[in-house]
Amino acid sequence: MSDIQHQTRMTQQRAVILEELRKVKTHPTADELYHIVRKRLPRISLGTVYRNLCFLTECGQIAKLETPGSLNRFDANMEPHQHIRCVSCGCVADIFPPLPAPDISGISVPGFACVTSSRIEYDGLCDECAAAGVSPQDHAYHKAVGEK
């Protein structure tokens, strides 16, 4: 079997990682998913989980959620949707149906030949943090942008 065929086949480890990611709606980090997968595959390494998440992302089977200043999270739901992130604890939830992305036609940016896409990301306060008395204004982001 060639190296390329080996990389593209659905290994048992890759299948379990994908199955476990599809079961959760929490958009886990690689480390969180590693702890979930270890219940089924006790000998799997964190590096193997990372490599397979990278592969599954590159193949378009899962999405990697990249938020500046926080750990990457992963989502097996490939239906069109958007996400909201709690500004206090960092949890992520899906937004269905997705709202239309901003129109990018006619946008001109010096130094860029074209704008190819846009996306919408939402920040909010989850029910658990709100119940604990956290205020959105207490979060460092809001202080940094000068919100009162």
Side-chain angles (χ1 to χ4, degrees):
M1 178 181 298
S2 76
D3 191 40
I4 292 176
Q5 286 174 320
H6 177 71
Q7 288 179 350
T8 57
R9 71 183 179 94
M10 184 58 74
T11 64
Q12 179 196 12
Q13 292 172 327
R14 192 171 291 153
V16 170
I17 290 167
L18 186 56
E19 285 171 22
E20 293 301 323
L21 184 57
R22 286 179 174 156
K23 288 181 187 177
V24 297
K25 303 297 181 216
T26 58
H27 306 83
T29 63
D31 192 55
E32 290 167 343
L33 189 58
Y34 164 71
H35 290 291
I36 293 167
V37 169
R38 280 200 55 176
K39 293 174 185 169
R40 287 183 57 190
L41 301 172
R43 300 180 78 185
I44 196 167
S45 71
L46 180 58
T48 297
V49 172
Y50 271 103
R51 281 189 299 279
N52 280 286
L53 287 171
C54 182
F55 176 84
L56 292 167
T57 300
E58 290 173 1
C59 289
Q61 292 190 40
I62 65 172
K64 179 168 54 171
L65 311 179
E66 299 175 286
T67 303
S70 64
L71 296 172
N72 292 334
R73 293 180 170 274
F74 296 89
D75 188 357
N77 185 343
M78 298 305 288
E79 292 179 47
H81 66 285
Q82 293 151 338
H83 296 99
I84 184 167
R85 182 184 63 87
C86 178
V87 296
S88 180
C89 71
C91 74
V92 176
D94 295 325
I95 297 176
F96 284 105
L99 297 170
D103 181 13
I104 60 171
S105 63
I107 296 176
S108 175
V109 180
F112 283 80
C114 63
V115 177
T116 58
S117 67
S118 66
R119 66 177 168 268
I120 300 173
E121 296 177 355
Y122 297 93
D123 291 331
L125 195 61
C126 72
D127 291 340
E128 199 170 306
C129 289
V134 175
S135 166
Q137 289 75 22
D138 292 339
H139 191 266
Y141 167 79
H142 295 283
K143 292 177 183 175
V145 295
E147 293 181 13
K148 305 225 183 315

